[in-house]
Amino acid sequence: MTTGLQQIITGATPRAHEHGWATQSSHATSVGTVSYVSCVVCGARRVDVVEHATAAPRPLSAVIGGAVDR
């Protein structure tokens, strides 16, 4: 016999993970350094830009692809 809570947990969709981005390639451009990155866990990809040396990377594209955690 299962309880309502067990049914909810069993039927829930897998939780997404926080991506760990690794740089595949990067190129200097007029807006800063553009990097093509992929997640080391699921293979999702995106494009980032670093506008100056002390700035953190920010995404230029949406996350594309990747598998759901299991």
Side-chain angles (χ1 to χ4, degrees), residues 5-56:
L5 181 57
Q6 288 170 326
Q7 289 173 340
I8 291 170
I9 292 170
T10 304
T13 56
R15 209 178 79 193
H17 68 276
E18 185 169 337
H19 296 290
W21 299 110
T23 301
Q24 301 301 301
S25 66
S26 60
H27 313 279
T29 70
S30 60
V31 296
T33 301
V34 173
S35 298
Y36 298 85
V37 298
S38 65
C39 177
V40 298
V41 173
C42 72
R45 296 179 177 276
R46 78 175 187 196
V47 180
D48 288 352
V49 65
V50 176
E51 295 177 19
H52 52 83
T54 59

